[in-house]
Amino acid sequence: MGESALLIFSFFMQASIGIMFFMTLGKILHADQEFKKAAYLAAGLSIIGVIASLAHLGKPLAALNSLLNVGSSWLSREVLFSGVFMGIAVLYALVQYLKVENQGIKAALRWAGSGIGLIAVFSMAKLYSTASVPVWQGANTFADFYGTTLAVGALLFLALSSKELQGKDKKILGLIVLAAVVVQAAVAVPYGINLGLGGSAAHASAEILNGLSVAVGLKWLLVLGGAGFLLWPTLQQEAKSATGMIYLAGIALVCGQFIGRYIFYAAMVVTNIGLI
């Protein structure tokens, strides 16, 4: 698939933003915890995402040129906010690694990263939803992108920070994951059913989705099944067995979300000019 670089960029960046968001919330509840593993993974995923974005653009100077139209282009805003988020995520991970004791600096980086990250996700969704690709237009893209951010971010944060979190925290995170994917499904299913009622490009996308019905079914089986299965280990008192099951549920859900992102790009049929 020609859009593999965009797939990696959007998925990895949204996962990184989700981790940062839940790490920020986690510090509110547990000021004594550092969540260093989560910080390192957030930085690593954001770096991979930006590298994939540069690969799609062809060369680094193309990314700089894309920033010239921040006032009018969602592509420019996506590049800007994603790049700034990556810088904050890497800086926060470095501060953690160097064991900087200034909590004010850490808090500022967490909150700035979370806020800018969520704006970056909005920029991504707005870019795709305003493109001349019917399958990307509408609320479904926003539900998909924010659903991935919250579900994958919460899941990875939970898996990496299980020892630092209390039982009630794990239950809440499990419920957030489930709620995020349920909203994804609630928006995506009727949208997919009605897609064929649109113009020729929308109809062509619907035909592609029909041809990918096995992948679509597998996606929802893994996403909804993984999210539902995640609730069971979060209720367990036995830490070791619960952690193992969280990993298994997490693998299922992340694989399902990644398949979903593949389908998102595979169903693309352009009416006129594509991304702007």
Side-chain angles (χ1 to χ4, degrees), residues 56-206:
H56 174 73
L57 292 172
K59 45 190 174 182
L61 288 179
L64 294 177
N65 291 334
S66 69
L67 295 175
L68 298 177
N69 299 309
V70 172
S72 59
S73 169
W74 284 106
L75 174 60
S76 296
R77 294 164 190 159
E78 178 197 57
V79 172
L80 173 63
F81 289 120
S82 297
V84 172
F85 172 80
M86 184 206 71
I88 293 174
V90 171
L91 182 57
Y92 184 73
L94 183 62
V95 165
Q96 291 284 61
Y97 179 76
L98 296 176
K99 299 180 180 179
V100 174
E101 298 296 333
N102 191 314
Q103 295 300 319
I105 292 176
K106 293 181 181 179
L109 290 172
R110 285 194 304 272
W111 282 102
S114 297
I116 291 173
L118 293 176
I119 295 173
V121 176
F122 182 85
S123 299
M124 294 178 204
K126 191 68 175 177
L127 170 63
Y128 285 102
S129 65
T130 55
S132 299
V133 181
V135 74
W136 292 348
Q137 294 170 356
N140 182 57
T141 296
F142 288 89
D144 183 62
F145 281 18
Y146 276 108
T148 297
T149 300
L150 294 176
V152 177
L155 181 60
L156 293 176
F157 175 67
L158 173 60
L160 291 169
S161 309
S162 182
K163 293 181 179 180
E164 293 113 307
L165 297 172
Q166 298 178 1
K168 63 179 181 179
D169 303 323
K170 298 176 183 179
K171 295 174 188 177
I172 292 173
L173 286 170
L175 289 171
I176 289 173
V177 172
L178 182 60
V181 300
V182 166
V183 171
Q184 272 186 310
V187 175
V189 172
Y191 181 79
I193 293 174
N194 295 322
L195 184 63
L197 302 178
S200 58
H203 184 74
S205 291

